[in-house]
Every structure is written in C-alpha cells, then in structure tokens.
Amino acid sequence: MKRFGAPSEQESGERAWEVVRAAYESREPIAWPRRHARPLVAGALVAAAVAAVLSPPGRSVVRSLRKAVGVENARTELFSLPARGRLLVSAPGGAWIVNADGSRRRLGAYRDAAFSPHGLFIAATKANELVALDPKGNMRWTLPRRSPRFPAWTGSRTDTRIAYLARGRLHVVGGDGNGDRLVDRASAVAPVWRPGPGYVIAYARGATTLVRDVVTGAVLLREGSDIPPRKLEWSSDGKLLLSFKPYATRVYDARGKVVAQDDPSDATFDRDAAFVPGTHRVLAVRAAGGGSDVFAFLDGRTVFKGTGVFRQLVFSPNGRWLLVTWPTANQWVFVRLGGARHIVGASRISAQFGGYPRVASWCCGR
C-alpha cells in the first residue's frame, strides 16, 4: 500500500533536524562554565523537539526515527547481565563496576580502568596518578605519574605486573606498586599482555607493532606499517595478535605471518574488531552509509546490524554473549552467539552512568 505523505512533510522534518543539530553542535564552543550552558542547551533541544512534534509531519518523522534506531522492546534499565561476570566501564563521570544482577558501583573519578587477574583488584588512572583499588573503590596504593593512561594488569594471584603509558613511554610496575621501570617509547594505544606464562606485551610505537618480553627485553615480533594501529588484542591462547585499523586490520601468528585480514572498500570502514573468547574467530563492526553491521572475518556472515553507530564489541567471559555498544540509540545490545539467536537490549545507558560509557572489559565469570 502506498504510504501517505502529509504536505511539506519532508521539508518540516529537515527543518526540525537542522534545529536539533544546531543545538547539539552549539554545546562545544562555549565561553562560560558548563553548568550555565547545560540549561540553555537542554532548553534548545526541548524547543526543537516540541517544534518537531507540533505538526503531523513532525510526528511522522519522530515515529520513523524511533522505529529505525535501537532494539524494539529494549529494557528501560540494565536490570541484569545475560551471563556471569562483571563489567568495568569508564564514563565521563568516572569508572563503574556493573555486577551480574545489574547493580552498579561508581569507583570514583577515574579515566581508564582495568581488572587485575581474576578480577580481585582494579588499576585506574587520574590526571597524574596510577592507583590500585578493590572492587568497592577503596584505594590500595597510588603511584604519582604525569598523565598515565591505559593500565593493563597481568600475572598470577601472587605475582603480577601492570603496564601503562605515561608521556609517550611504556612503563611496567609490580602489582604492589613497587619496581616501576621504563620499557620503551610507545604511542597512545592500549598495550596488551599475552595470555599464558611469562610477561610478554604487545604495544605500538608509531605505525609499528612490537611484541616484547619485558623480563629479558627481547623483541619477539616487529611489524611495520604505514598506518598506526588503533587497538591490539591477543587471542585467548596467546597464539594470534589482532592489530585493528579502520581500513586495514591484520591478524598475525607468532612468526608475524598474516593469517586473517580485512580491507574495507573506499565507501566503508571498521569501528572495532575482537576475538571470540576461546577461538581464533574475529568479529568486526563495519560502518557503511548510515548503518553498522557486526560480521565475521572468515565467512562475512552478519551477526547483528542496525542504523547509526556501533562503537564496541565486548564478549562475555564464556564467549556465548556479545555486547554491542550503540551510542546512536543510547543502548547496549546483548546478542547470544550460537544456537537460537537471542537479543536483549538495555536503554538509557547514558543516564545510568553520567554519560555514554566505554566498556573496559567483561571479566571473571563462567
């Protein structure tokens, strides 16, 4: 049946969108404190929304957007996680832990955060501090450093190391806060420890990806490129290393051989990629036009798709659930992998964390 279009519907929708967009963009170049600007921006957004809804064409546009973006029948809150474990997230207002039952705890005004092995502690950063916390947010120790970023914690229950970046340098310190030492120059990409025995770490230096044994200092792998990586990740068994780049992602084996890759076309690019836990399978987010797809590297099979921007792929510890962060819809979407497909959406994510968060990890539950 042919859809009925109200007079000037398209023009009305476009005018409403221009008002909303202008209000949104105006929030950045402000010359007075944000606490004064927020009511004005909020007022502009409300006025734009009212203008969009007042006319029948405006109502049609709003209904269309609601249908196009987000998972229908999504939960109004994150009542629980679909699998065991805990989420560690960083939001504009600080770092949070989300438990399996949906309860949340704000750890404090920390920028980056990472679980220790087995999730017993958390390493986090402030403007000029690296700190260790327990899951209740109690500080165990602090290490003053200029602009620390991207802590990564590895080891056993009795012997651990924390890697972090500070002013263009890769450092490693003991899990008790002692023995801090400089390892190498490094770019602003989160370093990642290789799973398994020993202390082997992958990091970026410019457009080069390096794998180094921090005990012996030996460089085990050096892969040059014209494009710096955005993200590095090991497979669960430590045999493969993912070097994510929006236009040229590569998966390397221990000898530096490329065993999988993705080179999007000129009209598309990737936003994230990650190993499925316990496998060598890689899923990635592909942005094309006004939408995003989650697909598998090897066979190209689509796992999930939607309108707008998907930001991250985060797997449950057992690999059975995939969390897709969807800032355009202000949702988190959990997709069950394998067997019968099941999708669970949670809305109003920004309201629950004081801004849309970045997920550091989903840890420690089987």
Side-chain angles (χ1 to χ4, degrees), residues 231 242-252 258 260-264 270 272-273 282 284 297:
K231 171 185 174 181
L242 170 71
S243 177
F244 169 74
K245 305 169 188 178
Y247 299 97
T249 296
R250 300 288 183 267
V251 178
Y252 300 101
V258 176
Q261 65 185 68
D262 185 55
D263 297 283
D270 294 341
D272 194 16
V282 176
F297 259 28

Side-chain angles (χ1 to χ4, degrees), residues 65-106:
L65 288 175
R66 286 174 177 169
K67 291 180 180 178
V69 181
V71 171
E72 288 189 282
N73 302 318
R75 300 170 179 175
T76 56
E77 297 281 342
L78 182 65
F79 293 114
S80 64
L81 303 180
R84 294 181 180 179
R86 293 173 293 169
L87 291 175
L88 180 61
V89 305
S90 297
W96 297 72
I97 282 183
V98 182
N99 297 306
D101 63 1
S103 60
R104 305 185 299 273
R105 180 186 294 273
R106 184 177 181 272

